[in-house]
Amino acid sequence: AYIEDWVAFDPDRQNGFHAFTMDARGKVLPNGDGPTGGCVALAPGESDALFDFATIGMRVEVHW
């Protein structure tokens, strides 16, 4: 399983934003859009946009 567009927001827990879980060809796996255990998983196009927008050291707020 693979993820793309990693943007960390909690280094102590190794959590961040990333694309849904995919296979080696870049296709979303069955249930690849399911719970992540702390990360925020986004559709591939959405994670691309966030990755392009994010900068090192930028402030991130996650509201549940």
Side-chain angles (χ1 to χ4, degrees):
Y2 299 87
I3 59 169
E4 294 181 336
D5 302 321
W6 175 256
V7 178
F9 64 78
D10 186 347
D12 292 336
R13 295 187 184 129
Q14 298 180 342
N15 289 335
F17 299 95
H18 58 75
F20 295 155
T21 308
M22 299 179 224
D23 65 16
R25 294 186 178 126
K27 296 202 174 228
V28 175
L29 293 172
N31 300 315
D33 61 347
T36 64
C39 292
V40 178
L42 303 168
E46 294 169 350
S47 66
D48 289 341
L50 177 64
F51 189 82
D52 290 342
F53 170 78
T55 59
I56 295 173
M58 74 180 280
R59 180 182 171 144
V60 174
E61 292 185 26
V62 178
H63 300 269
W64 300 106

